[in-house]
Amino acid sequence: MALTSTETQLEQAAQLIESKQQADGKFPELAELLHASSSGEYEAAIPPEWQVVTKRRVVALPDALFEQYDLLECRCFMGLFPEIGRAWITVDHRLFLWNYEDEGDFYSFEGQEQVIVSVGLVRPRAGVFVEAVT
């Protein structure tokens, strides 16, 4: 018995689907990939000439900062001001500046009511502050 045009098309479609399923079966399941644990084995080593940041030394944060961090209610951010040798840390609405070069000079500012999310340095406008402020 001869196949009709519709039956032939269905047969071809079934063969196409079967071949695509076989090709797809050669790859791992997406769910398995998503649940796989991450590992350092998959990280490529970065050549030294590509590294932008290099570790010169490790400096521990002062205990006073950890005490403030324990009071965290919302957000904490931190960064470095290498131009002045200070680290800045915000814990909610409080700003802390710390001299990481000699590990002293710990200052805090708590006059802000809103959460501080960013900190920056600017040059003072001439004539606004006393001459000692540069």
Side-chain angles (χ1 to χ4, degrees):
M1 171 158 111
L3 294 176
T4 65
S5 150
T6 303
E7 291 173 331
T8 303
Q9 290 175 346
L10 287 174
E11 178 85 16
Q12 290 173 346
Q15 290 173 356
L16 179 64
I17 290 172
E18 180 67 28
S19 69
K20 296 299 180 184
Q21 285 180 331
Q22 288 177 355
D24 191 42
K26 295 177 183 177
F27 298 98
E29 291 291 323
L30 180 58
E32 292 174 14
L33 293 174
L34 293 175
H35 291 295
S37 63
S38 62
S39 172
E41 296 174 14
Y42 300 109
E43 295 178 13
I46 299 173
E49 61 273 10
W50 289 7
Q51 292 182 351
V52 178
V53 178
T54 57
K55 179 172 68 173
R56 292 190 298 181
R57 66 185 175 121
V58 176
V59 179
L61 293 173
D63 290 337
L65 286 177
F66 287 109
E67 292 169 8
Q68 291 297 318
Y69 186 78
D70 289 340
L71 303 173
L72 176 71
E73 294 178 10
C74 186
R75 295 275 189 255
C76 177
F77 298 96
M78 63 176 51
L80 296 176
F81 290 138
E83 304 90 344
I84 62 172
R86 301 289 188 274
W88 63 267
I89 299 98
T90 66
V91 178
D92 297 326
H93 64 280
R94 298 178 304 277
L95 169 65
F96 304 95
L97 291 174
W98 171 58
N99 184 337
Y100 61 82
E101 291 181 343
D102 66 10
E103 300 182 35
D105 294 338
F106 182 81
Y107 298 102
S108 66
F109 173 74
E110 300 187 29
Q112 175 69 27
E113 293 181 12
Q114 301 295 318
V115 173
I116 301 171
V117 297
S118 183
V119 179
L121 290 178
V122 295
R123 293 199 179 277
R125 187 178 299 163
V128 174
F129 299 98
V130 295
E131 290 298 317
V133 176
T134 59

